[in-house]
Amino acid sequence: MRQTGEGEGTSEQGEGTSERGSGNENEAEREIEDLGARLDAAGASRSGLDHAQRGMSRRSAILRILTIALWLATAVILLAMLLRMLPNSLDGKRYIPIIVALMPWLGFLSAVIAIVALAVRQIGGRAALAIIGVVCVVVQVGWHWGYIEPRQTISENASQAVAQTETDGLPDTSDKYARIMTLNTKQGAADAGKIVETVKAEHVEVLALQEVSWSLLDRLANAGIANYLPYSVTAQQTWHDNGGVNVLYSAAPMEDVKQNLIPVESSSVPAATIDFAGRKVRFGSVHPFSPRPSNQGLWNKSLDSLAQLQHYDSLYVLMGDFNSTWDHASFRYLLGSRFLDSGEQAGEGLHMTYPAMLPVAEIDHIVHDKGVVVGDLETKHIPGSDHRALLATLEVA
């Protein structure tokens, strides 16, 4: 009996011990699970922290790159502004003319830089960057004020006169007004039919063409240009023609016709005098060399040669591809104190002509004496040409 009791007691104790062991195991498992959960939470927290740190690093890197880019762009703009001020004898060196040709766009870039500097607080030196940008914009606007505020304005009579035609459908060539046009034909590749169509639609009375081939002359004749502009003069062909010869067409009779108006280191300048209600105006079709590095010196020389017309008699209107903008010192030297650039005088904005599909530079001009007023400028796309045609209304004072 006692042995049996002792056995039962032992059995009960074993069961108790087993239950306690099981409870300890469960508690250990819970502790392990809790520890695992805490480790997972700690890992997630560290991962989030690492992700945030990587995001901040990327943001800092982007801001550094942006700051460097803005300051580099500002340095380029300041350099270009200094290059614009170079004297005529130095502005044709290497890539200087190409950089200066983009001056109006650099003004827009200065405005963008100033806005970004004011908007993004983390940019280094943002206050100085914004101030420089604003100053550059103000200076650029001052330089190009003639494109904004007109210095000369054609009369309402002039605008109305060139919009009308006579009973035969042709413009009146007896008054002192005329619609005029200039186009670089890209070595004669321009669409002759489109040229004649534009002459007809715009009532053009004087047309200047550059880089004309003999083939284009034939195509223009076949397209009927003589029906609208029966008088013409073609420049004297030379070994240094710049892509082709220059040509001048007129609806009115020409006087004192010349194939080579002035010795020039590029294509010869055909010229003729046309009567405008008793006032004689001498027209010329011009095309100086382009300012490529391979043409070092020739660009300046050809523009300087044209500048000698300041000392000639007659009332001049020069039309053509000048391969320069108003920002170039060589072009301003050509203008001198006598001639005016119609685009810089009309207050009608910029008229970009090159390249034709996405024009970024105003290198085609109508340059005239102060006794002539030119306005209502516009550009036209002529298929086949890498320039846009420049049209305007002329009024003889």
Side-chain angles (χ1 to χ4, degrees), residues 116-130:
V116 173
L118 292 172
V120 183
R121 295 184 176 181
Q122 292 83 356
I123 291 177
R126 59 189 292 264
L129 195 61

Side-chain angles (χ1 to χ4, degrees), residues 38-59:
R38 287 194 296 271
L39 290 174
D40 290 340
S45 177
R46 175 172 293 180
S47 176
L49 181 61
D50 291 342
H51 181 74
Q53 289 176 340
R54 286 194 297 271
M56 292 177 65
S57 297
R58 282 196 297 269
R59 179 179 173 81

Side-chain angles (χ1 to χ4, degrees), residues 126-393:
R126 59 189 292 264
L129 195 61
I131 292 172
I132 294 173
V134 170
V135 170
C136 288
V137 170
V138 171
V139 173
Q140 291 275 42
V141 170
W143 277 347
H144 300 96
W145 188 247
Y147 292 94
I148 302 169
E149 182 67 24
R151 304 179 193 274
Q152 290 186 331
T153 306
I154 60 171
S155 67
E156 185 64 28
N157 289 338
S159 298
Q160 293 177 357
V162 298
Q164 300 171 355
T165 58
E166 300 288 89
T167 56
D168 57 3
L170 299 177
D172 181 7
T173 58
S174 65
D175 58 19
K176 59 179 183 179
Y177 317 114
R179 194 73 171 152
I180 58 179
M181 169 177 158
T182 180
L183 171 69
N184 181 315
T185 67
K186 193 185 178 183
Q187 300 179 350
D191 186 329
K194 187 63 176 179
I195 293 174
V196 174
E197 178 186 324
T198 304
V199 166
K200 178 183 177 181
E202 291 286 335
H203 308 152
V204 172
E205 294 184 41
V206 183
L207 170 67
L209 299 178
Q210 301 85 46
E211 289 193 21
V212 178
S213 64
W214 302 116
S215 171
L216 177 58
L217 289 175
D218 292 338
R219 299 199 314 271
L220 287 169
N222 293 333
I225 194 168
N227 296 330
Y228 309 100
L229 304 173
Y231 305 95
S232 66
V233 53
T234 301
Q236 179 181 351
Q237 190 173 20
T238 64
W239 65 270
H240 52 69
D241 279 336
N242 189 11
V245 296
N246 302 325
V247 182
L248 199 62
Y249 287 92
S250 172
M254 291 179 167
E255 304 174 15
D256 193 15
V257 176
K258 288 188 178 296
Q259 289 185 298
N260 187 15
L261 175 62
I262 187 172
V264 62
E265 292 79 2
S266 60
S267 49
S268 298
V269 180
T273 299
I274 300 173
D275 185 278
F276 286 86
R279 288 277 280 164
K280 308 283 188 178
V281 179
R282 193 150 180 76
F283 288 86
S285 179
V286 306
H287 187 206
F289 277 113
S290 60
R292 299 173 183 172
S294 59
N295 287 341
Q296 285 293 297
L298 293 176
W299 178 70
N300 293 88
K301 288 181 180 179
S302 53
L303 288 170
D304 288 353
S305 295
L306 291 173
Q308 299 309 306
L309 289 172
Q310 296 177 35
H311 309 298
Y312 280 44
D313 293 332
S314 298
L315 191 64
Y316 277 100
V317 174
L318 306 175
M319 302 192 292
D321 171 13
F322 285 78
N323 273 314
S324 54
T325 72
W326 187 78
D327 288 291
H328 288 113
S330 292
F331 182 72
R332 297 195 304 275
Y333 176 76
L334 183 158
L335 297 177
S337 60
R338 173 174 174 177
F339 295 128
L340 304 172
D341 174 36
S342 60
E344 196 272 330
Q345 291 285 311
E348 300 173 7
L350 296 163
H351 294 85
M352 304 298 188
T353 58
Y354 182 84
M357 299 309 296
L358 188 63
V360 297
E362 187 176 293
I363 62 174
D364 296 86
H365 302 271
I366 298 171
V367 171
H368 56 89
D369 261 307
K370 294 178 181 178
V372 172
V373 180
V374 178
D376 287 350
L377 282 80
E378 64 175 311
T379 62
K380 295 279 187 181
H381 175 63
I382 304 294
S385 174
D386 56 349
H387 288 242
R388 291 193 177 188
L390 178 65
L391 295 100
T393 297

